[in-house]
Amino acid sequence: MAEQTTTIVIFGASGDLTTKKLAPALADLYAKGRLAPEVQIVGVARSEMNAQEFSASFYDGFGPAAHFPPAPETWQDFSRRIHCCYGDVLAPDGLDGLERTLAAVESPDKPANRLYYLALAPSLFAPAALAMGRAGYQQENGCWRRLVVEKPFGIDLNTAMELNRVIHSVFAEHQVYRIDHYLGKETVQNLLVFRFANAIFEPLWSRNYIDNIQITVAESVSIADRAAYYDNAGVLRDMFQSHLLQLLAVVAMEPPSTFEADTLRNEKVKVLESVRRIPSQDAAACVVQGQYDGYLDEPGVPPGSRTPTYAALRLDVDNWRWQGVPFYLRSGKALTNKRTEVLIQFRRPPHLIFPQGPSGDITSNTLSICLQPNEGVHLEFQAKAPDSTLDLRPVNLEFNYEDSFGGQEIPDAYERLLLDALNGDASLFIRSDEIEQSWSIIDPLIHGLSQPPTRPPEIYDPGTEGPYAADDFLARDGRAWLGKCIGG
Ligand code: NDP
């Protein structure tokens, strides 16, 4: 095969995602020597931008691994690979400038692999794919061509299916890399390693030993200036359809036979298929909705908006492994702290031979998988308090990422995902059927909750754990939220 070169084309080069995430991730990958030697980076946007302005965010993005600031010769070598051009994915001849830039930076003698990254507003994903199709950018003649699509992928099942249809009219599924950056987090990958590289937990990982599973994605920030997006989305679209259901799938999936993209994703799809659908008419009874006090005063939020900024719900996975084990999912904005955690609460011992404490109960074992910010795994179990007759106390076995790996930097998820996309490893990207399954779980809930006379979301104070109704919701099942990971 002829020697190949690789070009990374970023649509949305002047945007927030490129500046804050993609440029630093690419700079770090370059500094670590993980980009192909001949790599070229081309940014596309409608704004007037010169290569110097565009490269500034790459310069600033050189992280600790590159010993900021980069050595002059390092920067010289890297910056000569950074280019930008005018492009408008909505205009008929909107990719002409890109075509000229590609002709200038790619060698005519070597086939050029291309990674196209859509760092664009979601409404532009389909037009961008079609524009690339008209220019023949998907054609793989002796090289590869891949498309990375950001989230959100659709706003409901129909729009997601339509977006899949449009994208598939240009790119084949094996060329499409749909991002949920949660999957690029080291700790989410560690969850896979924890489950499938250790023999001791897997026999316990089922209804036989697990009482319930709680998945929390909490944010301390408010919606700030994102009302235009958020008020139409709400927490169910923003968080549940993607991050929370992906975490559920990773926790609940069967062991795949290999760590290859399709075997892994087949297992995730099976879990999502097994999630019991909650019909629209039951949504109000099955979902707790909240809205933080002050949401209506945020700039751009329409008066009287009922958009939920918090939700908690119970899902059941109808298969042999999980029958009867509730998965409680919750997420919200303006909460006590920022944290993502998966808590596995095991069943209580079937018969207690020890006298019980004053509260008349002992806590059952809990495995806490803390995904951020204090990444680690903690197993809580009972121990005998010293110098007591038989006083039992919960204690922890702890694994802490930072301590165990000598404070080694945890790279940003985008670094891992960009590298995987360049290497053609789609394991941590979402397949079209996963997206559609996820929407088919969430759609009826959103629909049901929008129907009058559904109660408006309960108002909760910012800086709390959300609405009181979420506690009552679990109390109805005789349980409580556990919250064992410490947030940031
Ligand atoms: P921005 O609005 O900051 O950037 C959008 C980019 O698109 C700009 O560079 C804009 O440049 C370009 N653009 C707009 N219209 C066109 C057009 N017709 N043709 C070509 N380029 C165009 O958005 P973000 O960077 O915040 O988000 C991008 C995507 O990433 C979204 O889908 C978002 O949901 C997703 N995302 C963003 C995150 C973030 O941290 N920002 C996190 C996770 C996901 P110009 O106007 O100059 O053309």
Side-chain angles (χ1 to χ4, degrees):
M1 194 195 287
E3 203 185 329
Q4 299 183 335
T5 64
T6 298
T7 310
I8 301 168
V9 180
I10 302 176
F11 291 91
S14 57
D16 189 60
L17 182 73
T18 305
T19 309
K20 291 200 188 131
K21 296 288 184 185
L22 305 183
L26 287 168
D28 227 22
L29 287 172
Y30 174 80
K32 291 174 182 168
R34 293 182 183 164
L35 293 181
E38 296 297 325
V39 74
Q40 302 289 339
I41 300 167
V42 180
V44 186
R46 295 167 309 170
S47 312
E48 285 290 321
M49 258 196 327
N50 59 38
Q52 205 176 1
E53 286 162 348
F54 182 44
S55 32
S57 43
F58 290 81
Y59 187 87
D60 295 341
F62 269 81
H67 306 299
F68 184 86
E73 58 279 12
T74 306
W75 177 241
Q76 201 180 9
D77 179 63
F78 187 48
S79 59
R80 72 181 170 82
R81 301 158 186 281
I82 301 172
H83 320 268
C84 63
C85 62
Y86 174 88
D88 182 349
V89 297
L90 294 176
D93 52 0
L95 299 190
D96 289 359
L98 174 59
E99 191 57 38
R100 285 192 293 276
T101 308
L102 291 173
V105 304
E106 289 174 348
S107 159
D109 313 323
K110 297 179 186 171
N113 302 314
R114 286 194 201 144
L115 186 74
Y116 306 110
Y117 199 117
L118 300 188
L120 296 169
S123 58
L124 297 178
F125 295 162
L130 291 171
M132 278 186 269
R134 286 192 295 275
Y137 282 5
Q138 74 283 21
Q139 285 159 17
E140 300 183 302
N141 300 322
C143 53
W144 54 255
R145 300 279 158 100
R146 298 182 189 133
L147 178 75
V148 181
V149 187
E150 259 299 337
K151 77 171 269 274
F153 198 93
I155 55 166
D156 56 19
L157 179 59
N158 286 338
T159 51
M161 286 170 71
E162 176 58 14
L163 184 54
N164 274 330
R165 190 193 63 73
V166 171
I167 289 177
H168 287 155
S169 72
V170 178
F171 291 90
E173 177 62 21
H174 77 268
Q175 296 176 288
V176 184
Y177 289 66
R178 294 172 196 78
I179 283 222
D180 179 339
H181 65 265
Y182 256 64
L183 293 182
K185 289 184 186 293
E186 289 278 325
T187 39
V188 176
Q189 294 154 51
N190 191 44
L191 187 50
L192 289 166
V193 173
F194 183 80
R195 284 199 58 198
F196 303 129
N198 296 296
I200 56 172
F201 293 104
E202 200 50 28
L204 307 178
W205 213 259
S206 73
R207 65 192 302 277
N208 295 332
Y209 293 97
I210 292 177
D211 178 80
N212 75 93
I213 293 180
Q214 303 182 5
I215 303 178
T216 301
V217 179
E219 294 183 289
S220 54
V221 292
S222 64
I223 64 151
D225 57 357
R226 294 177 67 226
Y229 160 73
Y230 197 89
D231 198 65
N232 289 315
V235 69
L236 288 169
R237 284 194 180 90
D238 188 44
M239 285 292 182
F240 283 72
Q241 179 274 329
S242 50
H243 306 327
L244 280 121
L245 287 181
Q246 280 296 319
L247 289 175
L248 181 149
V250 170
V251 171
M253 70 198 265
E254 294 299 314
S257 55
T258 64
F259 194 63
E260 278 162 21
D262 273 331
T263 39
L264 203 71
R265 297 188 296 180
N266 288 344
E267 296 304 337
K268 282 201 286 163
V269 169
K270 282 187 214 160
V271 173
L272 296 171
E273 278 169 351
S274 311
V275 170
R276 191 182 307 157
R277 274 32 178 186
I278 299 172
S280 289
Q281 62 272 21
D282 295 344
C286 297
V287 182
V288 173
Q289 298 188 89
Q291 188 184 77
Y292 65 82
D293 194 14
Y295 176 77
L296 295 177
D297 302 326
E298 301 283 14
V301 171
S305 167
R306 291 169 62 144
T307 298
T309 60
Y310 175 99
L313 54 91
R314 167 185 170 149
L315 292 177
D316 286 83
V317 179
D318 285 333
N319 61 21
W320 276 53
R321 188 187 281 264
W322 295 118
Q323 191 55 237
V325 178
F327 287 72
Y328 297 109
L329 275 50
R330 62 177 169 164
S331 179
K333 292 215 174 277
L335 299 180
T336 321
N337 50 32
K338 176 184 170 72
R339 66 180 201 280
T340 303
E341 62 191 19
V342 176
L343 303 183
I344 317 283
Q345 186 167 40
F346 290 90
R347 290 181 183 277
R348 287 160 47 86
H351 171 61
L352 276 178
I353 59 170
F354 302 110
Q356 294 177 34
S359 65
D361 203 0
I362 64 161
T363 53
S364 46
N365 302 127
T366 311
L367 181 70
S368 310
I369 303 171
C370 307
L371 302 175
Q372 67 173 10
N374 297 309
E375 297 84 356
V377 180
H378 318 287
L379 178 64
E380 188 179 279
F381 61 98
Q382 296 293 326
K384 179 188 170 297
D387 200 19
S388 68
T389 324
L390 255 179
D391 196 3
L392 305 189
R393 302 260 175 85
V395 292
N396 266 326
L397 265 179
E398 309 245 1
F399 154 70
N400 184 300
Y401 239 86
E402 200 173 330
D403 297 345
S404 301
F405 291 99
Q408 197 179 329
E409 176 214 8
I410 296 183
D412 189 77
Y414 278 92
E415 199 173 314
R416 169 65 193 254
L417 293 170
L418 276 163
L419 188 62
D420 282 0
L422 287 164
N423 290 335
D425 180 353
S427 318
L428 301 177
F429 293 84
I430 305 173
R431 215 167 51 188
S432 55
D433 48 354
E434 281 180 81
I435 293 264
E436 291 176 12
Q437 285 295 331
S438 302
W439 277 123
S440 75
I441 296 167
I442 297 298
D443 256 11
L445 301 179
I446 295 174
H447 179 71
L449 292 170
S450 66
Q451 300 303 305
T454 308
R455 279 191 311 275
E458 182 181 320
I459 303 299
Y460 61 95
D461 286 332
T464 64
E465 283 289 276
Y468 295 118
D471 296 335
D472 300 341
F473 183 67
L474 253 68
R476 280 199 323 237
D477 286 359
R479 299 189 176 94
W481 296 106
L482 297 169
K484 303 275 182 183
C485 297
I486 300 160

